[in-house]
Amino acid sequence: MFTKLLIANRGEIAIRIIRACRELGVRTVAVYSDADAQAPHVRAADEAVNIGPAPSTQSYLLGERIIEVAKRTGAQAIHPGYGFLSEREWFSRAVREAGLVFVGPPPEAIAALGSKTAARQLAIAAGVPVVPGTTEGLRDAAEAEAIAERYGYPVLLKAAAGGGGKGMRVVRAPSEMAGALDAARREAQNAFGDDTVYVEKYIVGPRHVEIQVIADTHGTVLSLGERECSVQRRHQKMIEEAPSVAVSPALRKRMGETAVAAARAAGYVNAGTCEFLLDQEGNFYFLEMNTRLQVEHPVTELVTGIDIVQWQIRIAAGEKLPFPADLTPRGWAIECRITSEDPSNGFLPSAGRIEYLHVPTGPGVRWDGGIETGSTVGLHYDPMLAKLIVWAATRDDAIARMHRALRELTVVGIETSREFHLRVLEDEEFRRGAIEIQWLERRLPSLVGAAAPESQVTLAAVAAALLADRDRGMRRAAPVNGSGTQAPATTPWELAARRDALRP
Ligand code: MV4
């Protein structure tokens, strides 16, 4: 095992990786920008090195500088987390060429899966089902129309270099083709410097289901099962769960074997994720493979009992995976991404000082966070501050537990997605599991429009409750799946937050 590892990231994921290192007895080196000098991840590590000004192009994206820091501090390995340098082929290669170990896939695997058309060709060759469509770039609108005629409308134009939905256009009739192709090309050129666009049959109303895979350097490639990630907005996931209500044991086995075949074909090593669309008939189609640790990895950890981050490091150190090929998920896990965004204001990013933070605890609750009371939240980095993750025996129990935990969560000083998550968990369609990739955007107006039950409490009632609460212990709260008892409008934690917010 390594004696020292450098974490080329910040925030909650840097802390998550430091925790894994501690448990493995590996010393840690954090890197930080000027904006993060006081950040919790800096104090959580054994040592920390400043790598430059706040903009990530002058700090967290400076691969060569980070490699120099690793060499200087005696770290033998670099974990990139997610985002930043995590999926850069050149960085994986530069780390290797510096005589260090990249905790992630080899550059060859990143390259094989980086371009969408290349990944599609690789998948097809490996017998992995992909959405019907082409694998080569389009010449012109006439060619696109001829292909669309074969598959039937609607079709989807996609950028070959794409990701995050950029350069994507739905085409519902031949008359729309020329304009859509122009728009997709322009967007792809701007975003990726490559205007190659291809066609796929447009799948209507699918779920986004992904399979976590993990591969060692000894030829073992395993599926750790699926995550349901359909609750997203503008390609930003908000809530993820494991398992998925739409995946039976038989489908899990088939999707798992498919993901393993794709990973093998790419020569994959370490943790990775195969993204699929799952249509209303139960057909699944490979979209792409993410060659990094994902934000939502904790839900898989909670239903499999496997510490994915520890195993990433063990694999990088040459260890062999000891798990059986047929893991059955146990219970249900849900994750809510706590972001510094104002859902009632179009998810406008919110910045400022966190005046007070109370983190939920109790049975089955996990908090993967990168903030504390006194933290300043700026606009330089991703708005995700923390992840609240719960585990329970059933989906209904997990929803009730997450609702309870969110009510304990108190963040004073900035706007967060907390209220939004509470409303989603109370939503009847969500509770039935009737979700697909367009569900959230369709449902959003009614979710953020309705006043939260607790904000209907008038200030006078809050004041009265505060007075009445002073001499009383904790009051009993009804569960969200309400069995007759009326839930009180507020919990003691919520009242405490109001008390703080009202203080001058
Ligand atoms: C699709 C699709 C429907 N049909 N492909 C969006 C980003 C990229 N990863 C692939 N995406 C999609 N590809 C076909 N043929 C719908 C989407 C899509 C989507 C996929 C996963 C998660 C969220 C999404 C939101 C909108 C569209």
Side-chain angles (χ1 to χ4, degrees), residues 4 17 77 98 104 212 214 227 270 295 321 359 403 444 461 470:
K4 201 188 265 192
I17 296 163
Q212 175 73 58
I214 192 156
R227 293 185 286 258
N270 219 283
V295 171
L321 285 166
V359 168
H403 194 274
L444 209 50
R470 273 206 304 210

Side-chain angles (χ1 to χ4, degrees), residues 131 156 158 168 200-201 203 208 232 235 277 288 437:
V131 186
L156 188 60
K158 284 189 178 180
M168 237 169 59
E200 281 182 13
K201 171 86 190 141
I203 309 295
H208 176 185
Q232 57 86 40
H235 305 288
L277 291 177
E288 56 193 88
I437 59 174

